[in-house]
Amino acid sequence: MDKGNQTSVSEFFLLGFSQRPEQQLIFFGLFLGMYLVTLVGNSTIILAIIFDSHLHIPMYFFVANLSFVDMSFPSTTVPKMLADTKLGNKKISYGGCLTQLYFFGLLADLDNFLLAVMAYDRYMAITCPLYYATVMSPQHCVLMVAGSWVVTAIHALLHILLLDWLAFCGPNTIPHFYCDLIPLLKLACSDTHINELMLFLVSGTLLVGPFLCILVSYIYILLAILKIHSPQGKHKVFSNCTSHLSMVSLFYGSAIGAYLCPLSISSTEKERAFAVMYMVVTPMLNPFIYSLRNKDMKRAIRNLRKKGTLLFWELTVTLRTQTSQYGKQ
């Protein structure tokens, strides 16, 4: 690999979903609706946790962080795609493509790490309740989240630095609606063996590691549940894990479809569909999974709605009072 960046391509062309104007309008409305639901749903979860003191425990601290990531994750790609669809400009600069890829990789890895941390939290709560308060102290929780941020940020940066050394001198069309690493490597003119090795070794480790943590945690949780004699006790313990299990299934199911689908059945259309599931649909559904399956979260959201309604009416009365006073003057 030649030293230094020898890029001659200054921009890339994102194909998106469809070139037909009538279909582009449908996709614009669909993705705009899903994106707004994602922002509103996850911000509601965060605010409910912040304003409800009963939810100031490790599990909901991780849920709030996951909701923040789920808001940010589609924000790396969907606004650009919506602007491209509306304006008809599907070009993205070389620097913009690398920036989008960096934050996409960072937040995707972080989602994976947070799911593993949440599985460990459930493992400690169910199998080691006597040590839970010590192990999952506020300081340790902050360290786990901060450590996840540091590791994923470094990992994403390594990919960008290696990619920036490649030369792009040929085709510049990416058959996707965002800049992804594998399509970019296919467009490179120079040797990509180091990039592929990095992708296989480091990315594979960071993907498999959290997954194994989740798997082992739930094996121990299952063994602990089997030791409970009461059916009601088993149901109560298992119900504490159903929301997280649903999120894990949705995340890994869509991720496997997007990146590990066999070549014999993969196609551009299927890759795009799985990417939408992975990047847009999953972050949109996570707030509903937690709010519909969790009584504490339902109560917190109801209280938040009451506080919001009360604040709205107080502001309305204040504005009317001030308006009437100005009118009299």
Side-chain angles (χ1 to χ4, degrees), residues 151-222:
V151 171
T152 54
I154 293 174
H155 174 235
L157 183 60
L158 286 175
H159 278 300
I160 298 303
L161 292 176
L162 287 174
L163 193 64
D164 195 41
W165 278 77
L166 298 179
F168 294 90
C169 51
N172 65 337
T173 300
I174 300 175
H176 228 312
F177 62 95
Y178 66 98
C179 289
D180 200 5
L181 181 59
I182 296 177
L184 281 172
L185 292 179
K186 291 179 180 179
L187 296 178
C189 301
S190 51
D191 184 27
T192 61
H193 282 98
I194 294 179
N195 302 74
E196 293 170 0
L197 185 64
M198 168 79 173
L199 183 64
F200 178 75
L201 294 178
V202 181
S203 300
T205 302
L206 292 181
L207 177 66
V208 174
F211 178 76
L212 287 178
C213 177
I214 295 171
L215 185 62
V216 172
S217 296
Y218 274 104
I219 288 175
Y220 278 100
I221 288 172
L222 180 61

Side-chain angles (χ1 to χ4, degrees), residues 48-96:
I49 293 172
I50 290 174
F51 288 106
D52 194 326
S53 59
H54 295 93
L55 301 184
H56 292 177
I57 58 176
M59 181 177 74
Y60 292 107
F61 172 73
F62 298 132
V63 170
N65 279 274
L66 185 67
S67 293
F68 175 76
V69 174
D70 283 341
M71 276 199 305
S72 306
F73 189 29
S75 298
T76 60
T77 57
V78 175
K80 168 66 177 170
M81 187 200 67
L82 293 174
D84 291 347
T85 304
K86 193 66 176 177
L87 301 176
N89 179 22
K90 296 190 176 183
K91 295 179 180 179
I92 184 170
S93 66
Y94 175 80

